[in-house]
Amino acid sequence: MYFKDIISHQEIKQDLIRSLKEGFIPHARLISGNEGTGALPLAISYARYLHCTNRGEEDSCGICPACQKINKLSHPDLHFVFPIINKKKGKDAYSDDFLPEWREYLQENPYTNLSSWLNYIDAENAQGMIYEREAKSILQKLSLKAYESTYKIMVIWLPEKMNVSAANKLLKLLEEPPEGTIFLLVSEEPDKVIGTIQSRTQSLRLPPIKDEEIEVAIQKEYDISAEDAQWISHLANGNYLRAIQTIESTEETEIYLELFISIMRNSWKRDIKNIKTKGDYFASLGRDKQKGFLAYCQRLIRENFVLKLNLQEINYLNKKEAQFSANFAPYVNEGNVFDFMKELSLAEQHIEQNVNPRMVFFDISLKIAVLLKK
């Protein structure tokens, strides 16, 4: 990725370039932004600019040996740590064990999220984590001299996924980094990064991408009409990844919608047999997908409430969701909407805490049966 490839954030890109020219290069930045705002592509673009040996006024040259290597994400002084599954080929795994997949994946999906990455590596039921042993690997890499560049750059994607031990060990490195070391921590939920790490980094927060900027970007990338681009950019609500997923009509979103419709219909009918059947299916999903589905349910409840209030300008249903919601929205009202959100959020927390997913699904289905009648 180059700065020119980053959608929006022109002022932030200029500030990064200006700070480097002025010699202000913090040893640790916490680059954060909601999913789809481009925090990871921005970090990689910044790393490229730092390594580039023939920097332009507004971007890397793209020609020098450093740029050529970063095109393949294989520069010896650019390191990555990211959430992984615990085992690979029968042994404890490190991020380096997944580097071939990571490089290939990022080439195809610079705007990404954890769920898509875990699907790519066939994580199945495993939750992506950054394990304690990764901190030791980071220390080993950064204790060596830079091979080709002035800097050794460590990009840590989703530091909020570090377990406590890994985070505490990283803290020592942030306090006394080896010479020439730059940490780029890329987060979607910076509030979940431990406070001692936050306090030792310079925070850089990316705002949501403007609708008109997403509209221009998707028209440039995809063969869609101006009308569809306008609708999709509104639906994306500042999230370029969501815009891409809407265009490509991802299978995961359709699965979530189908399951949402099933749980609402079965709960309304109090069809215990089918509730149990769908509960078995829910349990077969990985935990990240289970949490993703419950988060999706909360979004649809919110959107149906907005639809009922006829607030079209802040409604973000896609076409298939809108077709179902035309009949479902009257069942979401002032008397039950807060309880819906509370119970679905609680179910998501229970999945996070490894409660039996069948029990969680059955329990939330029974609660929905009551709330739909409220």
Side-chain angles (χ1 to χ4, degrees):
M1 295 293 290
Y2 295 83
F3 282 131
K4 62 182 174 61
D5 297 322
I6 308 299
I7 301 167
S8 189
H9 314 312
Q10 192 60 34
E11 290 185 6
I12 291 175
K13 290 183 281 188
Q14 290 173 351
D15 285 343
L16 288 171
I17 293 171
R18 183 167 54 251
S19 68
L20 189 153
K21 291 179 179 179
E22 294 173 354
F24 177 66
I25 306 173
H27 77 275
R29 289 185 185 269
L30 178 59
I31 303 174
S32 61
N34 296 338
E35 177 189 292
T37 55
L40 181 57
L42 181 68
I44 296 172
S45 300
Y46 180 52
R48 179 193 289 274
Y49 197 73
L50 286 165
H51 280 321
C52 180
T53 58
N54 187 27
R55 302 182 191 114
E57 287 297 313
E58 297 184 351
D59 217 330
S60 307
C61 72
I63 301 172
C64 71
C67 282
Q68 293 298 311
K69 290 174 183 177
I70 293 178
N71 285 342
K72 301 176 182 178
L73 300 178
S74 60
H75 193 289
D77 297 313
L78 175 61
H79 308 283
F80 290 96
V81 167
F82 40 83
I84 58 171
I85 55 178
N86 195 27
K87 300 285 185 181
K88 186 172 184 181
K89 297 182 179 178
K91 67 181 183 70
D92 289 342
Y94 292 81
S95 294
D96 282 357
D97 294 315
F98 291 87
L99 267 180
E101 295 98 324
W102 176 251
R103 289 165 175 159
E104 183 178 295
Y105 176 75
L106 276 189
Q107 298 285 351
E108 300 172 2
N109 307 278
Y111 285 78
T112 187
N113 61 15
L114 180 60
S115 177
S116 297
W117 162 240
L118 294 177
N119 286 340
Y120 190 81
I121 59 173
D122 298 322
E124 297 180 347
N125 292 337
Q127 299 189 68
M129 290 285 293
I130 297 175
Y131 296 94
E132 179 182 359
R133 56 183 173 270
E134 202 79 64
K136 182 179 179 181
S137 175
I138 293 173
L139 177 59
Q140 289 174 340
K141 291 174 182 175
L142 298 182
S143 63
L144 301 173
K145 291 183 178 180
Y147 286 91
E148 299 177 5
S149 178
T150 306
Y151 309 105
K152 297 169 291 184
I153 301 176
M154 175 62 68
V155 178
I156 302 178
W157 183 51
L158 303 184
E160 57 267 34
K161 293 299 179 180
M162 286 184 180
N163 62 27
V164 176
S165 297
N168 286 331
K169 288 188 176 181
L170 179 64
L171 180 61
K172 296 178 182 178
L173 281 173
L174 289 172
E175 289 174 340
E176 299 179 5
E179 185 179 357
T181 297
I182 297 175
F183 284 95
L184 301 177
L185 282 65
V186 182
S187 174
E188 290 180 359
E189 298 177 288
D191 291 343
K192 291 185 178 180
V193 178
I194 64 172
T196 47
I197 286 182
Q198 292 185 48
S199 66
R200 285 162 176 79
T201 60
Q202 184 182 70
S203 179
L204 178 59
R205 179 73 183 182
L206 274 60
I209 304 172
K210 295 178 181 178
D211 285 4
E212 54 268 28
E213 292 174 318
I214 292 179
E215 187 176 340
V216 170
I218 59 178
Q219 279 194 285
K220 182 178 178 181
E221 188 69 21
Y222 299 90
D223 182 21
I224 58 176
S225 67
E227 182 181 359
D228 283 344
Q230 185 176 28
W231 173 75
I232 291 167
S233 63
H234 172 73
L235 181 65
N237 192 25
N239 182 339
Y240 184 65
L241 177 61
R242 186 182 297 165
I244 295 172
Q245 291 173 336
T246 302
I247 292 169
E248 296 177 350
S249 189
T250 60
E251 181 181 353
E252 184 176 272
T253 301
E254 293 183 1
I255 290 172
Y256 284 170
L257 176 59
E258 182 181 349
L259 188 55
F260 178 86
I261 293 172
S262 295
I263 193 174
M264 294 302 160
R265 287 177 175 169
N266 291 334
S267 295
W268 173 261
K269 296 177 182 177
R270 307 198 176 191
D271 187 340
I272 301 300
K273 181 179 178 181
N274 279 326
I275 287 174
K276 290 176 66 177
T277 299
K278 288 298 179 181
D280 291 339
Y281 173 72
F282 177 76
S284 72
L285 302 174
R287 290 204 177 272
D288 280 302
K289 285 190 175 181
Q290 291 164 2
K291 290 188 294 182
F293 168 68
L294 291 166
Y296 175 83
C297 289
Q298 293 170 65
R299 184 181 77 80
L300 273 200
I301 291 296
R302 180 261 180 200
E303 297 301 339
N304 273 270
F305 185 62
V306 169
L307 182 63
K308 178 180 169 62
L309 297 177
N310 199 30
L311 300 173
Q312 297 294 337
E313 68 278 6
I314 57 170
N315 189 271
Y316 300 101
L317 293 164
N318 66 33
K319 291 180 180 179
K320 289 186 178 180
E321 292 166 347
Q323 289 172 355
F324 168 74
S325 298
N327 294 320
F328 178 71
Y331 295 95
V332 182
N333 54 63
E334 295 87 342
N336 63 17
V337 64
F338 293 108
D339 289 331
F340 263 124
M341 300 299 283
K342 175 184 174 182
E343 296 298 344
L344 287 165
S345 177
L346 181 61
E348 187 179 354
Q349 291 177 36
H350 286 162
I351 292 297
E352 181 76 38
Q353 295 163 358
N354 291 324
V355 177
N356 186 304
R358 288 183 177 84
M359 292 176 58
V360 172
F361 189 89
F362 191 76
D363 180 64
I364 191 63
S365 296
L366 295 182
K367 289 175 177 176
I368 288 172
V370 174
L371 291 173
L372 286 173
K373 307 283 185 178
K374 192 172 180 180

